[in-house]
Amino acid sequence: MRRLLLSFTCLSLPLCAPALAQGAGTPPVTEPSAAVAETVVTATRIPTPIERVPGAVTVIDRRTIEERGYQTLSEALVAVPGLALIQSGGLGQPASAFIRGTASRHALVLLDGVPVNDASEPNGAFNFGNDLLGLEVERIEVLRGPASSLYGSGAIGGVINIVTRRAPRNRAIEAFGELAGGSNRTLRGGAGVAGTVREFDYLLSLRSLSTRGTDATPSRFQRDTREKDGFRGTTATARLGWTPSDRFRLEGLANWRENHGGLDNVPEDDPNYSFEDRRYTGQIRAEGKPIDAWTTGFRAARTVDRRRYSNLADSLDLSTTDDLYRGERTVLDWGNQVRLPDAGILDASQLAFGVTHEREEVRQASGSAFFRTTVDADATSTAGHAGYQVRLFRRLDLSAGFRTDSAEDYGTHTTWRLGGVLAVPEVSARLRASYGTAFKAPSLYQRYGRIEGFFQGNPNLQPETSRGWEVGVEFDIPLAQQRDAVTLGATYFRNRVRDLINFNAGFDTLENVDRARIKGAEFTATLRPARWLTANIAYTITDARDALTGERLARRPEQQLALNASIRPVEGVTIAPELILYGRSREGAFASYADNGTAFTAARDNKAGAVFNLTATWQVTEPVALFLEGRNLTDSDFEPANGFAIAGRTALVGTRFRF
């Protein structure tokens, strides 16, 4: 895992996402593929040294995913500083991400730059337990802090961008694949082909995982039946591109994901509770360069989510559940970036601007016949955005960005962000600071949901808003002849969130009634004492509280420590241990359970816990590798969320190839 920095002047989805996807120091997006460099990032289309850009981003690249044996999105995110990943059980079980203490609905997720938060989810949150990290995933980028001036609604806590791989430029065909099996009858496999033929390039990939699963109900519960929650997931991706010249590119991307599995109720197992979840995402993007200094692009994208939850009557529950959710999102985006000429003390000047139009539609029917929740609504919004970045005296980088979103049902909302980085090369240090605003629009359920005779959504809800700032320092410590043998970083952040949406006193509608105040710190260290060893440390302290009552917010660990390393004892062999330590966290009233299954009527603390993973890889030949993945090797029964235990000790063995 590498920690990179992202420039906040890149505001257009068609232009920003591919630049991030290509990584540091790569050619423009008009190229069908790109190599990843170590020190710069091209969020503004011009390679920029890492020391010159503000705002923290953690990049989990393909090599890291394979070295550490990450097979799902939730597994890959647990070691990210400032992010708490809370999953209710093992593979395929629901999972939420709390970035810098904000709510799970305040994390915006993108797939190659396209928002994929399910519009039919009642709060607009993303389920991180559903996505497999297939061979088509090239990298994951986690941007922490308010980013609505960059990506719009939902980016109060941060943004997570899943980037798919691109075809090699110099090969007509490249085949890649993987096959693994192990504990709990788990079978994982995938294969794909990619290549470039003259001006055309392509990528086709298929990934599948099935497992008998584990029991998410803690063994301490007296009525635990040991029923396992199975999971089957499939993901397919297709990308086609046409690059007739170095000034124009046309590209299409399609992604399909379908999951089936079992779920548990608290405080006891329910063998008939199951789910199926489908997502279809497609986009077409065109980009051109009328002149060398100007890049313009247009994207049309559509995402459809379909979810169904079923629970037949049995001895544990006599009721029958058949919940249906359908959410759709259409995005049209036009973006531009212009590189301006240098002038005296000013250089590296860049301007970005564009327009985004978005439409959401939700059809939902869930719950029993007596207590049926329904939503049948749609909404549109249009946003204009712009940003500017410049360097002064070849030492101070400044950036500014703003965005105005105009919606048909909650009015107009403007967000902005300022940032700066001061290089102090005399001591190999970088000082950075930023301040910004963000918002989360009320979901269609919050505005138009209905339970006949009990609840009615509030169409007059206003967006949840925040103001946040951070200051940080990062510096390198030389050792022998290595300039960055040790890299240390520290960041302090504060955020105030207003107009949070919650139930009114009668629990029959929703209002903008809550506030939160959040502060914390992130400490990181990367140690490179020898060529065969790299170690990473990430320690996060988070204090997230209800601003009105002073109570700690639920499911935000007060402390979290991630330790991992890449050890190469001999050529071709890599051993990657990972230890995650979770501090205590709060659980709300009626969400904590005693051993007999009784719910506590007051808020309580979840206990601290630890998880140890280990992955070993042997590169037998250049195209073929063997690997062994061990998860929770200490067999911890830690409960990130009260009433849901993590999966027990598991192991998988497999092979990976590329020809």
Side-chain angles (χ1 to χ4, degrees):
M1 182 185 298
R2 294 197 310 258
R3 183 178 179 276
L4 298 183
L5 299 175
L6 173 69
S7 168
F8 282 90
T9 60
C10 185
L11 300 180
S12 166
L13 281 176
L15 300 174
C16 285
L20 281 170
Q22 292 175 13
T26 59
V29 73
T30 50
E31 298 285 351
S33 67
V36 179
E38 292 290 336
T39 58
V40 295
V41 67
T42 57
T44 57
R45 285 295 181 271
I46 300 174
T48 305
I50 188 172
E51 295 87 355
R52 289 175 41 204
V53 287
V57 165
T58 296
V59 177
I60 309 166
D61 58 21
R62 185 72 228 171
R63 178 177 177 180
T64 301
I65 292 171
E66 293 179 353
E67 279 191 357
R68 300 184 190 170
Y70 297 146
Q71 58 185 350
T72 66
L73 179 60
S74 58
E75 288 181 353
L77 295 176
V78 294
V80 173
L83 187 151
L85 196 289
I86 308 299
Q87 186 157 8
S88 302
L91 284 171
Q93 302 303 302
S96 300
F98 301 87
I99 304 178
R100 287 186 171 176
T102 59
S104 59
R105 63 182 179 272
H106 296 155
L108 179 64
V109 180
L110 313 174
L111 178 62
D112 279 330
V114 174
V116 289
N117 287 48
D118 186 354
S120 68
E121 205 282 331
N123 292 312
F126 184 85
N127 180 4
F128 289 86
N130 257 335
D131 282 70
L132 303 176
L133 292 184
L135 296 168
E136 79 284 353
V137 175
E138 183 61 31
R139 54 202 274 141
I140 306 163
E141 300 173 351
V142 184
L143 165 62
R144 302 186 294 280
S148 287
S149 62
L150 187 65
Y151 291 105
S153 173
I156 287 180
V159 175
I160 298 170
N161 189 22
I162 305 168
V163 180
T164 58
R165 70 193 297 169
R166 292 176 174 269
R169 287 183 294 177
N170 57 353
R171 298 187 63 178
I173 183 169
E174 177 183 83
F176 49 90
E178 179 184 86
L179 182 64
S183 303
N184 303 317
R185 300 177 187 171
T186 300
L187 182 62
R188 190 177 82 206
V193 293
T196 300
V197 181
R198 294 187 296 275
E199 67 268 29
F200 298 96
D201 57 273
Y202 65 94
L203 180 143
L204 302 172
S205 177
L206 180 67
R207 167 84 157 188
S208 179
L209 185 151
S210 65
T211 179
R212 185 179 59 172
T214 60
D215 180 17
T217 303
S219 58
R220 64 181 178 87
F221 281 5
Q222 299 169 3
R223 289 178 287 178
D224 180 21
T225 63
R226 306 292 185 181
E227 184 262 335
K228 297 181 181 294
D229 301 309
F231 174 79
R232 292 182 291 111
T234 304
T235 301
T237 300
R239 182 197 298 275
L240 300 175
W242 177 48
T243 311
S245 73
D246 59 0
R247 290 188 177 274
F248 180 77
R249 175 169 173 81
L250 179 65
E251 179 178 277
L253 175 70
N255 178 268
W256 165 71
R257 184 207 67 198
E258 180 168 340
N259 295 335
H260 299 262
L263 295 170
D264 272 343
N265 281 327
V266 177
E268 58 190 9
D269 294 331
D270 193 333
N272 294 328
Y273 193 16
S274 62
F275 75 93
E276 59 181 53
D277 190 311
R278 299 182 179 91
R279 185 183 69 205
Y280 310 86
T281 300
Q283 59 173 287
I284 297 176
R285 184 172 57 85
E287 186 172 279
K289 296 187 68 173
I291 58 176
D292 289 340
W294 175 29
T295 302
T296 185
F298 178 80
R299 183 202 307 266
R302 183 167 175 81
T303 300
V304 178
D305 286 278
R306 295 179 179 177
R307 293 181 290 130
R308 183 171 189 170
Y309 300 89
S310 303
N311 192 1
L312 302 178
D314 54 38
S315 60
L316 299 176
D317 190 347
L318 298 180
S319 63
T320 297
T321 298
D322 188 12
D323 298 343
L324 303 173
Y325 298 82
R326 180 184 174 95
E328 302 181 15
R329 177 182 285 105
T330 302
V331 177
L332 303 176
D333 190 277
W334 173 62
N336 303 268
Q337 289 186 355
V338 179
R339 184 173 59 183
L340 304 176
D342 298 341
I345 63 172
L346 308 180
D347 70 304
S349 297
Q350 302 163 79
L351 175 67
F353 61 93
V355 178
T356 301
H357 179 77
E358 185 171 321
R359 177 181 177 84
E360 289 186 346
E361 304 173 53
V362 172
R363 307 292 181 266
Q364 173 194 343
S366 61
S368 64
F370 173 70
F371 200 76
R372 193 74 167 165
T373 302
T374 60
V375 184
D376 187 351
D378 55 71
T380 60
S381 64
T382 301
H385 39 75
Y388 177 67
Q389 174 178 293
V390 65
R391 183 172 63 168
L392 282 70
F393 303 106
R394 305 188 67 84
R395 181 180 288 254
L396 176 62
D397 286 270
L398 300 175
S399 63
F402 80 93
R403 174 177 172 131
T404 297
D405 288 77
S406 180
E408 62 179 354
D409 47 1
Y410 61 82
T412 299
H413 201 82
T414 299
T415 53
W416 53 271
R417 186 178 179 99
L418 302 173
V421 178
L422 175 64
V424 189
E426 294 81 2
V427 292
S428 298
R430 283 82 60 195
L431 306 175
R432 57 186 177 86
S434 64
Y435 189 102
T437 64
F439 80 103
K440 167 69 172 70
S443 69
L444 288 174
Y445 165 80
Q446 291 170 335
R447 282 174 275 176
Y448 306 110
R450 181 178 179 83
I451 305 175
E452 189 67 35
F454 294 92
F455 171 83
Q456 177 65 55
N458 183 356
N460 297 317
L461 287 171
Q462 295 300 305
E464 300 173 324
T465 63
S466 75
R467 290 177 176 266
W469 58 270
E470 65 179 80
V471 293
V473 60
E474 188 174 64
F475 56 93
D476 300 320
I477 300 176
L479 182 64
Q481 296 182 351
Q482 187 171 341
R483 183 182 64 85
D484 58 349
V486 178
T487 301
L488 301 177
T491 300
Y492 179 79
F493 61 87
R494 294 183 74 104
N495 199 352
R496 287 188 175 270
V497 188
R498 298 175 178 270
D499 297 321
L500 287 168
I501 298 171
N502 209 336
F503 286 98
N504 66 349
F507 287 90
D508 57 3
T509 192
L510 298 166
E511 296 180 349
N512 296 100
V513 294
D514 286 346
R515 297 182 181 182
R517 64 173 186 267
I518 304 167
K519 59 183 178 180
E522 300 164 1
F523 302 93
T524 59
T526 300
L527 314 177
R528 311 171 187 90
R531 297 185 62 183
W532 55 270
L533 173 62
T534 302
N536 300 285
I537 305 171
Y539 176 55
T540 304
I541 302 173
T542 305
D543 182 16
R545 297 181 179 271
D546 186 309
L548 302 179
T549 66
E551 290 291 327
R552 291 172 15 235
L553 299 180
R555 299 191 178 182
R556 281 80 159 176
E558 293 179 310
Q559 302 179 68
Q560 188 166 317
L561 176 65
L563 307 170
N564 51 63
S566 178
I567 306 169
R568 298 169 293 278
V570 297
E571 185 176 356
V573 175
T574 302
I575 301 173
E578 180 177 67
L579 176 64
I580 311 295
L581 301 173
Y582 300 84
R584 66 171 186 170
S585 63
R586 201 66 164 167
E587 196 70 80
F590 298 100
S592 296
Y593 296 87
D595 295 349
N596 63 4
T598 303
F600 292 105
T601 58
R604 297 173 64 90
D605 282 343
N606 294 324
K607 296 180 180 180
V611 180
F612 176 67
N613 306 317
L614 181 67
T615 301
T617 305
W618 175 30
Q619 197 71 40
V620 183
T621 63
E622 183 176 349
V624 179
L626 300 177
F627 59 85
L628 174 65
E629 300 171 359
R631 287 284 173 272
N632 189 16
L633 293 181
T634 61
D635 206 23
S636 168
D637 58 358
F638 173 55
E639 299 175 35
N642 188 280
F644 295 96
I646 64 173
R649 183 189 298 114
T650 60
L652 268 75
V653 62
T655 181
R656 187 180 299 118
F657 65 86
R658 178 181 296 183
F659 297 102

